[in-house]
Every structure is written in C-alpha cells, then in structure tokens.
Amino acid sequence: MAPAIAKPLLSDLVAQSGQVPSSHIRPVGDRPDLDNVDHESGAGIPVIDLKQLDGPDRRKVVEAIGSACETDGFFMVKNHGIPEEVVEGMLRVAREFFHMPESERLKCYSDDPKKAIRLSTSFNVRTEKVSNWRDFLRLHCYPLESFIDQWPSNPPSFRQVVGTYSREARALALRLLEAISESLGLERGHMVSAMGRQAQHMAVNYYPPCPQPELTYGLPGHKDPNAITLLLQDGVSGLQVQRNGRWVAVNPVPDALVINIGDQIQALSNDRYKSVLHRVIVNSESERISVPTFYCPSPDAVIAPAGALVDGALHPLAYRPFTYQAYYDEFWNMGLQSASCLDRFRPNDQAILISR
C-alpha cells in the first residue's frame, strides 16, 4: 500500500489525522501558558470612538489615539466608517475560501515568500523549526489594479468583496495615520508622506480547531514590521497582547476593529510610540478567521523621524535611517521572535548596512 501523501496545508492535515502533528508541537519551555492570561475586561486595550474624528471633537479623538499609541501600542476603533455589509462580506468570503475543496484551494498554494499572492501555512515553512497552527492567504492590495487579477477567482465573489474591503481598509489606515501625525505635533500628512508610495498587504488567516491547544501557537509572540495594522476578526478569541510582562486577551468587540502600531511608526515617532508583542493562541472548539491589513512604506522609503521629534538631550535619534526593504529583509530572516528587529538598527549597531 502506497504511503499517504503529506498534506501541505494544516487544515487538510488535521482533517486527515485528527492529531497535533509533531511538526507543530513546541518545546516544553516554549508553549503558551494558557492559565496565566488576563481575561478581565478592565485589563483590555482602549476602545476609541472615531465618530468625531472628522468633527468638532477631532482634537479629543487625536489625543486618545496618541495616548493609546504611547501607552498600549494597541487599541480598538468603533464607528470606523467601514460599512457593516462590507465587513460581513469579507468574513463570509474568507470562510467560503477555506471551506472549498482542497484541490481548489491548492491552486493558490506556494511556499515562496516572495510571491505577492499565495496560499500557505504557518509563517515561513522554508526556514522555521516548528510550524504554527495557521493556514493563510496572502494578498497584495495596493495599487489594487496591479494585483486584483492575480487573486483567487473562487469563490466567484471573492475579488469584488475583498477588493471593496481592501479599499475601505486603506481609507481608514490613511485617516489613522493622519491622526497619529497630528498627535505627535506634526503636519497631518507627515506619516503618509514619510512612507513614500506606500504598500498594502492583507493576510486572510484560518486557524482550525486544535485538539491540544496547549502544545502550539496560532502565531508566537512577535511585533509587526509594517507601519500600522488593522485587524478584522470573527467572534472567536485568539489575539493576546503583552502588557507589563503578562499576556492580555483581546476579546472581539462587535463592530470594532483592532489597530496596532508597527515597527515603522515606532521608528518614525523616534520611539515615542511603541510596537508591542502580541501572539495568537488557538482552541479545541472553534475555527477562527482573522483578516489583518498591513499598511507599509514603499520598499525604497527611507525611514527616519521628523526633525521636530529629535533633540540631543531628551529624545536623541533612536535608530539610524534605513530603507523599509532593508528592514523587511532583516525581519524576514529573523522570523517571528520576541526580540525586536528594530534593535538591529540602533545608531551604534553597524551589523546591517542600508547599502548592502
């Protein structure tokens, strides 16, 4: 009898075996301590109402965003302007995609991280020693017309629904970046301008139920390399943020999106705003869908803070200037780690040269 063919995607592997594969089992000292997590609502991240962001109380909203960026690195937004039917459509078509037959899904499969459009599993299967409990569809989204024809054509409504959501998410990202600029005392358009031509990526994440969630991660603790992330999630909990050395559950709030600051905003703010460790845990009961939108500088954008944010005494230059491409290459080579990739770009660290 011929040996069974290994399944490239986690969801199909689990459906076949019903077990946690050895490739996904973390070493004993690197497993999630699921009993040592804060679940109380008071320990959660700030929730900011964006209703007045373009109204007479804009200053109050901008200050709330600045405070959240400085103290938490994560916050939720409600009244964010993305229509409910667009959000619901995005989650619906994401679930439809991952519920399609294996043969249809695998038309998009690739383990090449350089591909702009690909279905894959874990994070970087070519380099990592232990796999993560996640399948994902990676989509480049901006400029939309450059990529949408490469997106999956099934489900039939996929391109239209996801294209609409990606446009709405970009518009919200730009509004938030303007508010972040203002909160730092800069011109409204500074952050967007500093990011050059800009880029936008999306991950459609699928976390299947896990028979033994204490053995693995959906994604281990890491910080995002981009500028700002907008997270849409279904009603299943999984995201956790580190605060004061403890993990805090970020439970879904109806009609709210989760926003987090990435490494590029930390660098552009000269360390005033923080990119924060976060992770994803899984459960044995329910599948989970999440859709993070990663808003990024263009690869050739030179990342350096505004002069107004740098002074020799209180706020010396935290990082030497670097291109986003150089940063992203370093991040990808590191993989998902709790150590900050930004530390490799400190002024006294000559290990990485922008000109390489």
Side-chain angles (χ1 to χ4, degrees):
M1 181 171 154
I5 299 174
K7 302 283 188 180
L9 294 173
L10 170 67
S11 51
D12 300 315
L13 186 62
V14 174
Q16 182 183 64
S17 70
Q19 299 176 340
V20 178
S22 59
S23 57
H24 289 68
I25 297 177
R26 293 266 163 184
V28 173
D30 186 30
R31 294 177 184 175
D33 183 359
L34 300 179
D35 294 325
N36 191 26
V37 176
D38 290 334
H39 292 277
E40 299 299 323
S41 59
I45 63 176
V47 180
I48 299 174
D49 191 338
L50 298 187
K51 189 173 184 179
Q52 290 297 324
L53 184 57
D54 298 313
D57 287 334
R58 178 179 178 84
R59 172 46 50 186
K60 291 182 180 179
V61 181
V62 166
E63 289 175 353
I65 290 173
S67 176
C69 292
E70 188 170 5
T71 61
D72 295 275
F74 268 78
F75 55 97
M76 291 190 190
V77 293
K78 60 182 183 178
N79 290 317
H80 45 70
I82 302 181
E84 183 179 359
E85 62 271 17
V86 174
V87 169
E88 291 177 349
M90 180 67 242
L91 290 173
R92 182 190 70 251
V93 81
R95 187 165 279 105
E96 288 174 355
F97 176 85
F98 282 103
H99 286 180
M100 290 194 305
E102 178 185 17
S103 59
E104 185 64 32
R105 281 177 285 121
L106 287 178
K107 292 177 181 178
C108 305
Y109 182 81
S110 173
D111 65 0
D112 181 359
K114 292 185 172 63
K115 289 196 69 173
I117 315 297
R118 67 188 182 105
L119 173 68
S120 196
T121 192
S122 189
F123 178 72
N124 185 354
V125 295
R126 291 186 174 184
T127 61
E128 60 200 6
K129 295 179 180 179
V130 182
S131 295
N132 303 301
W133 199 264
R134 174 184 80 139
D135 290 336
F136 66 93
L137 177 65
R138 185 78 170 191
L139 304 173
H140 282 222
C141 306
Y142 181 78
L144 186 60
E145 60 274 12
S146 298
F147 299 108
I148 194 169
D149 289 343
Q150 304 172 52
W151 289 2
S153 55
N154 276 319
S157 63
F158 186 92
R159 293 178 180 177
Q160 184 272 320
V161 170
V162 179
T164 299
Y165 178 79
S166 69
R167 281 190 293 267
E168 294 280 357
R170 178 173 185 264
L172 176 58
L174 294 175
R175 292 174 68 208
L176 291 169
L177 287 167
E178 289 178 347
I180 289 169
S181 295
E182 287 184 61
S183 72
L184 289 164
L186 305 173
E187 293 294 325
R188 184 180 292 195
H190 176 82
M191 286 296 177
V192 174
S193 177
M195 291 166 58
R197 292 172 288 109
Q198 305 149 46
Q200 178 184 348
H201 309 156
M202 179 189 298
V204 185
N205 293 325
Y206 181 74
Y207 302 96
C210 178
Q212 294 175 281
E214 70 278 4
L215 299 180
T216 190
Y217 287 106
L219 286 172
H222 66 283
K223 299 178 180 182
D224 286 356
N226 50 292
I228 190 171
T229 302
L230 289 66
L231 178 69
L232 167 63
Q233 52 185 340
D234 63 10
V236 179
S237 296
L239 175 65
Q240 297 180 348
V241 175
Q242 193 170 80
R243 175 188 283 176
N244 299 323
R246 288 184 60 82
W247 289 105
V248 176
V250 181
N251 295 319
V253 172
D255 304 319
L257 299 177
V258 178
I259 311 299
N260 69 278
I261 297 305
D263 290 350
Q264 305 314 304
I265 293 296
Q266 179 166 333
L268 288 168
S269 70
N270 202 37
D271 254 1
R272 298 193 190 187
Y273 292 168
K274 302 299 184 183
S275 178
V276 175
L277 274 175
H278 53 288
R279 68 182 187 178
V280 178
I281 56 97
V282 292
N283 72 86
S284 60
E285 304 297 327
S286 305
E287 65 182 11
R288 178 173 179 262
I289 298 282
S290 75
V291 185
T293 292
F294 305 104
Y295 209 74
C296 317
S298 55
D300 59 352
V302 177
I303 305 302
L309 300 179
V310 182
D311 66 67
L314 294 176
H315 301 101
L317 184 67
Y319 310 100
R320 53 192 169 77
F322 54 83
T323 64
Y324 183 58
Q325 184 66 62
Y327 189 88
Y328 195 77
D329 288 347
E330 190 67 21
F331 173 84
W332 192 261
N333 290 335
M334 280 181 62
L336 294 182
Q337 296 185 19
S338 58
S340 175
C341 185
L342 275 174
D343 289 339
R344 302 191 176 196
F345 292 83
R346 296 286 182 184
N348 62 350
D349 181 359
Q350 300 303 317
I352 307 159
L353 298 177
I354 294 175
S355 60
R356 71 176 183 178

